Amino acid sequence: MGNQNTNKFGSKWGFILACVGSAVGMANVWGFPYKLGSNGGGAFLIAYLIFIVIFSYTGLSAEYAIGRRAKTGTIGAYENAWKSGGKEKIGKYVGWLPLAGSMCIAIGYAVIISYVLKGFTQSATGSLMTVDTGVWFESFAMTDYSVVPYHIIVVIGTLLTLTLGADSIEKSNKVMMPLFFILFLILAIRVAFLPGAIEGYKFMFIPRWEALGDPMVWIWAMGQAFFSLSVTGSGMIVYGAYLSDNEDIVNGAINTAVFDTIAAMVAALVIIPACFAYKVDVGSGPGLLFVTLPKILQNIPLGRLFAIILFTAVVFGGVSSLQNMFEVVGESLMYKFPKLKRIPMLVLLGVICFGVGINMEPIFKWGPWMDLVSIYIIPIGATLGAISWFWIMKKEDLINEINLGAKNKQGNLWYNVGKYVYVPFATILCVVALFMKVAF
């Protein structure tokens, strides 16, 4: 790829905010509150935090490291890792499945962000404040080709933020991510004044210890941790490729995890207390964002303003995740086809994303697509990545890259946690997804 050496993040915080932007998306905004609400509240939170610590320390830092070592994204990184382990021929093919996962998520994400953009538009005009939110949601979520203009804006708008590579990703996330946190914080403060919100806080922070005896609470927490951090065997590799050699990778992974967890918690501090205050089901998936929360906002002072804030924040979270998925796929295409330039590549991705996605704009088509991705493609991709870094690649090659630029050197502890804890967890998640048909 022609710009490998110049396409770099300009600062440590630019890199971290870009990575947080990739991680912060629907997995945080409704995935985390919904799974917290459905799996024991505080008990789920404890299990989730345990997995976040393990996965950021090992899996996330390994993806950054292999990206930086290969100086390229998914396809080249797998080739590099398998070459290190003496299996170069196999490595040429392994990376394509995780890469396909990134493209498939992008197609699905663009549709749901189109819904969010529609919600933002109708909040801005005020029309959302007077409708029956259930009827409003069904008016576009159950109809073919119902959000086409928004869909076009989302795809083209996101691709425009990628025209300059790492530089434009960094600059846009330096604006979007702080605003995401500020806007959700404003919402969380407003929700705190709702009567009955205290019950939501109790549910979140006072664990029912017996819930930790349920294996599925741990499985759901593990799945949420994987996808919240974007440790999918593909997503974070390309951002690692844009890191300079003097960056501390493990420290960067920990910072990413801290801010990603704060984002998830701030979203939960908006949604769960609001649901308790209005006695509505926190486990309603997409309906939470498009039916439940707008209904709540209709009934509070300055509800229209807070609806605009909500949908603006979610658009930022969604677009920053979509940036990452497009960048992952585009970088690998340019790596495999060196004559393909950046702008034609972005046009190609836009055509694929919109061309496939336009046929799944109704939620009943979108749902099965995302189930396919989250049951099959992502868990297999995450497992392939974990095995590639810790079982195929030479130990000393991985350790050397992790320690390049590190203040505190990693050794056998880091490697063994990755090999004997992280890899088995990824494998368990994959097996549960495939055989129990669980969509994480």
Side-chain angles (χ1 to χ4, degrees):
M1 184 176 153
N3 62 347
Q4 276 176 357
N5 295 323
T6 57
N7 202 5
K8 296 283 184 187
F9 287 115
S11 67
K12 174 185 173 181
W13 282 106
F15 159 69
I16 289 168
L17 287 173
C19 293
V20 172
S22 168
V24 170
M26 301 310 156
N28 295 77
V29 173
W30 81 57
F32 179 74
Y34 152 64
K35 284 165 189 164
L36 185 82
S38 307
N39 292 283
F44 174 91
L45 181 59
I46 290 169
Y48 174 77
L49 291 174
I50 290 169
F51 288 123
I52 286 286
V53 170
I54 295 169
F55 296 169
S56 61
Y57 176 58
T58 54
L60 185 57
S61 58
E63 289 204 4
Y64 290 158
I66 185 61
R68 186 173 69 178
R69 183 175 193 269
K71 299 287 189 288
T72 183
T74 305
I75 298 297
Y78 277 87
E79 289 179 2
N80 188 290
W82 284 68
K83 183 179 180 181
S84 164
K87 298 178 174 62
E88 186 175 1
K89 288 183 180 177
I90 303 173
K92 290 182 178 178
Y93 305 103
V94 177
W96 284 99
L97 182 75
L99 190 72
S102 292
M103 190 67 216
C104 290
I105 305 171
I107 291 166
Y109 250 55
V111 174
I112 213 73
I113 302 166
S114 306
Y115 285 16
V116 178
L117 192 58
K118 183 177 178 70
F120 165 79
T121 305
Q122 297 201 230
S123 300
T125 62
S127 60
L128 187 58
M129 295 296 100
T130 56
V131 297
D132 179 318
T133 57
V135 173
W136 169 73
F137 181 55
E138 286 191 5
S139 71
F140 60 88
M142 303 300 287
T143 311
D144 279 308
Y145 313 117
S146 56
V147 288
V148 171
Y150 302 102
H151 203 158
I152 292 170
I153 291 168
V154 167
V155 173
I156 293 177
T158 305
L159 290 170
L160 284 174
T161 68
L162 294 173
T163 51
L164 299 175
D167 187 51
S168 56
I169 297 169
E170 182 173 349
K171 284 178 178 173
S172 57
N173 275 285
K174 278 183 173 177
V175 175
M176 287 194 296
M177 280 303 95
L179 279 172
F180 174 91
F181 284 101
I182 291 165
L183 294 172
F184 258 106
L185 198 57
I186 292 168
L187 284 169
I189 292 167
R190 177 65 191 90
V191 166
F193 290 97
L194 293 175
I198 189 71
E199 294 305 316
Y201 301 132
K202 287 180 183 175
F203 176 77
M204 285 178 66
F205 296 115
I206 300 175
R208 291 184 299 105
W209 297 106
E210 65 274 14
L212 290 174
D214 180 358
M216 285 312 293
V217 168
W218 291 91
I219 293 289
W220 280 110
M222 178 162 58
Q224 180 62 23
F226 260 108
F227 301 131
S228 183
L229 289 173
S230 287
V231 190
T232 60
S234 176
M236 291 303 200
I237 294 171
V238 72
Y239 285 176
Y242 300 157
L243 268 181
S244 68
D245 287 347
N246 58 8
E247 289 293 345
D248 187 326
I249 277 181
V250 173
N251 181 259
I254 291 167
N255 280 320
T256 303
V258 167
F259 284 98
D260 178 64
T261 303
I262 292 171
M265 291 303 299
V266 171
L269 287 168
V270 171
I271 290 168
I272 289 179
C275 288
F276 271 81
Y278 282 87
K279 296 179 170 55
V280 294
D281 179 19
V282 75
S284 52
L288 200 61
L289 189 57
F290 301 106
V291 179
T292 306
L293 283 178
K295 190 182 294 182
I296 290 169
L297 291 164
Q298 287 175 347
N299 294 312
I300 65 174
L302 298 177
R304 178 178 169 185
L305 172 63
F306 288 109
I308 293 169
I309 290 171
L310 171 71
F311 285 112
T312 302
V314 179
V315 165
F316 287 157
V319 166
S320 58
S321 293
L322 198 54
Q323 277 184 328
N324 171 260
M325 295 160 206
F326 281 143
E327 185 66 20
V328 166
V329 179
E331 199 284 340
S332 279
L333 287 177
M334 290 192 294
Y335 170 79
K336 289 303 286 185
F337 307 102
K339 290 183 180 179
L340 180 63
K341 301 301 180 190
R342 190 166 186 86
I343 300 302
M345 174 275 291
L346 293 174
V347 172
L348 175 65
L349 291 185
V351 169
I352 294 169
C353 184
F354 182 74
V356 177
I358 194 174
N359 296 304
M360 63 177 71
E361 288 185 351
I363 201 82
F364 57 83
K365 293 182 180 176
W366 179 84
W369 173 268
M370 294 308 286
D371 283 352
L372 172 75
V373 174
S374 65
I375 291 172
Y376 297 100
I377 299 176
I378 295 176
I380 294 172
T383 307
L384 277 175
I387 291 169
S388 296
W389 323 143
F390 289 101
W391 285 88
I392 303 297
M393 189 174 178
K394 268 187 191 171
K395 176 181 176 179
E396 56 266 32
D397 287 347
L398 183 57
I399 292 280
N400 287 343
E401 190 60 47
I402 279 287
N403 287 331
L404 193 64
K407 294 181 184 69
N408 299 309
K409 304 298 184 187
Q410 303 297 327
N412 286 333
L413 174 64
W414 179 86
Y415 187 79
N416 289 333
V417 170
K419 188 166 187 172
Y420 300 113
V421 180
Y422 171 66
V423 175
F425 279 152
T427 308
I428 289 167
L429 195 73
C430 187
V431 168
V432 169
L434 293 175
F435 292 99
M436 294 178 65
K437 301 292 187 284
V438 174
F440 289 102

